[in-house]
Amino acid sequence: MANGDPMQVSINGRKLQCPFCGHDQFRQRDIKLNTAGMSFLGLDWANKAATGLICGQCGRIEMFMDPPQLAYHQP
């Protein structure tokens, strides 16, 4: 999925909607989950990442760790 254009997303066959505004199109990006210990050691790059889905209307971010089945669809 390209980070530019918002797309509809389903997870395990269920369509995702923003719980705040109800919009159904999201942009995707990886989000680093930084920890104080790794930052102190200068190893931020080694932290785990979550999949972030950003609502195309209000900007709310939903984060998923190892999402089982993400599917992207053109609106």
Side-chain angles (χ1 to χ4, degrees):
M1 171 185 196
N3 288 343
D5 296 329
M7 297 187 72
Q8 293 177 337
V9 180
S10 60
I11 301 171
N12 290 340
R14 292 189 61 185
K15 183 178 170 183
L16 182 65
Q17 280 192 282
C18 177
F20 183 75
C21 71
H23 195 62
D24 68 349
Q25 295 178 32
F26 297 83
R27 290 182 180 87
Q28 184 268 331
R29 72 176 288 167
D30 290 335
I31 299 172
K32 281 291 189 183
L33 303 173
N34 290 341
T35 60
M38 295 298 262
S39 293
F40 177 75
L41 296 172
L43 299 173
D44 290 313
W45 57 269
N47 283 308
K48 289 186 177 187
T51 298
L53 297 174
I54 304 159
C55 178
Q57 183 167 293
C58 73
R60 179 184 168 98
I61 300 170
E62 297 292 325
M63 291 193 301
F64 297 90
M65 286 298 297
D66 304 322
Q69 289 229 268
L70 279 177
Y72 300 97
H73 316 278
Q74 290 289 355

